[in-house]
Amino acid sequence: MADGNLVLKLPQLPEVPTPPSLGRDPRQQRFVDIVGALDDATKEAGVSLASTNVVGGFHAARVDLADLKAALETCIADFTMDQLRTRWEDDVCALMQRVIGSWVQRRKEVRLRLRENGIRVEMQTQDDMGYYNYGFDVFPGR
């Protein structure tokens, strides 16, 4: 935008799809209690806490991989693999991270790796009962 003109990247990225609404996972109550107590204790000092997603999307122990994969693939349906490679660092990777962030509760780690024909998604989630590891591949539409 150095010359004052906007550059429209094609294909355009969609907005983050609306995640499923499953509500709070009762297996995360201890975590919610701890964060709530910390937030109450720090309010007088003018500190506010931000926490991981514990209310929207899939519960940490029950991620519907088919639905998450479909949401991610919808976001890149208009892309070729070459276009994904070109735009990966600029905006595609960040969009996929936002989708996973709003669709999956209590993510500990998310890794997205470009491969020859698609994107490898690996993540670890956690609730009060344990850790869960997920992995799957996402493919562009063209």
Side-chain angles (χ1 to χ4, degrees):
M1 199 163 126
D3 62 2
N5 294 321
L6 293 176
V7 175
L8 179 63
K9 293 181 180 181
L10 294 176
Q12 288 186 283
L13 290 176
E15 296 294 320
V16 172
T18 303
S21 179
L22 303 177
R24 180 168 286 166
D25 184 350
R27 293 168 52 104
Q28 299 180 148
Q29 191 57 50
R30 181 172 171 226
F31 175 82
V32 171
D33 291 345
I34 290 169
V35 170
L38 286 170
D39 191 43
D40 290 344
T42 58
K43 278 186 182 169
E44 284 187 29
V47 175
S48 91
L49 296 178
S51 172
T52 187
N53 175 11
V54 293
V55 293
F58 298 117
H59 300 164
R62 292 185 290 181
V63 177
D64 185 325
L65 298 181
D67 283 353
L68 179 58
K69 175 181 167 68
L72 292 168
E73 286 180 341
T74 296
C75 291
I76 59 171
D78 293 335
F79 282 78
T80 65
M81 199 59 214
D82 285 339
Q83 290 169 323
L84 276 181
R85 282 188 199 92
T86 301
R87 301 238 330 249
W88 183 250
E89 297 278 333
D90 292 340
D91 54 6
V92 174
C93 183
L95 173 66
M96 296 188 84
Q97 291 278 2
R98 287 193 307 275
V99 171
I100 293 169
S102 65
W103 278 61
V104 180
Q105 297 181 19
R106 300 269 318 260
R107 293 149 336 279
K108 299 258 326 144
E109 181 180 346
V110 175
R111 283 182 294 181
L112 302 172
R113 289 180 289 156
L114 280 174
R115 291 198 163 170
E116 185 176 332
N117 295 324
I119 301 161
R120 179 69 182 167
V121 178
E122 295 175 347
M123 68 180 156
Q124 183 180 71
T125 62
Q126 177 187 7
D127 64 18
D128 291 350
M129 304 298 167
Y131 295 87
Y132 311 93
N133 294 299
Y134 301 100
F136 58 95
D137 295 306
V138 175
F139 301 99
R142 299 190 292 153

